[in-house]
Amino acid sequence: MPPAAAEPLTPERILETTEEVLRRFGPAKATVVDVARALGVSHGSVYRHFPSKAALREAVTERWLTKSVVVLEEIASAQGGTAPSKLESWLEALFEAKRRKAGADPELFATYTVLLAENSGVVDQHLSELIDQLARIIADGVAAGSLAAPDVPAAARAVFDATGRFHDPQYAADWLSPTIVTEFEAVTALVIRGLRA
């Protein structure tokens, strides 16, 4: 049943509905007309907020990626605690967020994997934000003397790359393994040991 016409059409409402339409039809079949129909408006109304299907899909992708960045930012900018423990918490939160998304709604996760491939600019920005968060944690550790990294940005990138199996969607099938948590813990411990001062 379409929502009440009195409810204002906002970009956020359009994005939420687009997510539902993508879940229902998949990225190959979902159209702006489907989104408009689900909202109970004309497709022209959707285009007033998003000028093209590509812009709408890019905004949905960015919204999805931003959700995980917020939680990770809280860890990266938290006061107190040691850098090694913050780094461990950050890596664990990233891994858990990805596993939860893949496990709780595999159809939508598969859809977003397709959208990520389409929106490389959005993905590049997202990855830059994540690596920047890691760099801030490592820099704090270097300043406190608990971590050693002569080149903090390079160290942050190396940590991100070294743990890729636990957050890159291409490895989502691995996340179902009964030993994945043990493997994650081993890699994380090794990475943090390698950075200790």
Side-chain angles (χ1 to χ4, degrees), residues 39-69:
L39 287 163
V41 300
S42 72
H43 65 281
S45 297
V46 175
Y47 283 127
R48 278 194 278 284
H49 292 275
F50 299 96
S52 66
K53 179 180 178 180
L56 179 58
R57 289 165 74 107
E58 182 176 307
V60 168
T61 304
E62 185 172 11
R63 178 178 181 263
W64 187 69
L65 292 172
T66 299
K67 288 178 185 177
S68 61
V69 171

Side-chain angles (χ1 to χ4, degrees), residues 9 19 22-23 34 36 47 64 68 70 81 83-84 91 95 108 111 132 137 147 153 167 171 174 180:
L9 186 63
E19 194 172 274
L22 286 166
R23 182 181 284 115
D34 295 325
Y47 283 127
W64 187 69
S68 61
V70 171
L91 291 168
F95 177 44
L108 193 58
T111 293
D132 177 63
I137 293 169
L147 298 178
H167 56 76
Y171 297 105
D174 291 356
I180 196 69

Side-chain angles (χ1 to χ4, degrees), residues 92-148:
E92 185 177 309
L94 178 61
F95 177 44
E96 284 306 314
K98 295 293 177 122
R99 280 182 71 203
R100 191 171 39 256
K101 285 179 180 180
D105 198 342
E107 294 83 12
L108 193 58
F109 190 80
T111 293
Y112 278 111
T113 301
V114 171
L115 294 180
L116 293 173
E118 290 177 5
N119 296 292
S120 61
V122 171
V123 173
D124 291 345
Q125 175 61 33
H126 172 69
L127 297 180
S128 291
E129 287 178 63
L130 296 180
I131 293 167
D132 177 63
Q133 290 175 2
L134 280 171
R136 286 187 283 127
I137 293 169
I138 294 168
D140 289 348
V142 169
S146 59
L147 298 178

Side-chain angles (χ1 to χ4, degrees), residues 95 98-99 102-103 109 113 116 160-177 180 183:
F95 177 44
K98 295 293 177 122
R99 280 182 71 203
F109 190 80
T113 301
L116 293 173
F160 193 76
D161 291 345
T163 58
R165 181 169 177 240
F166 307 103
H167 56 76
D168 188 324
Q170 72 176 328
Y171 297 105
D174 291 356
W175 303 340
L176 300 172
S177 166
I180 196 69
E183 293 165 19

Side-chain angles (χ1 to χ4, degrees), residues 7 9 12 14 16 28 30 50 59 74 92 94 97 111 121 139 141 143 168 184 196:
E7 193 176 339
L9 186 63
E12 185 62 23
I14 293 169
E16 287 172 2
F50 299 96
E74 289 173 4
E92 185 177 309
L94 178 61
T111 293
D168 188 324
F184 167 77
R196 284 197 183 270

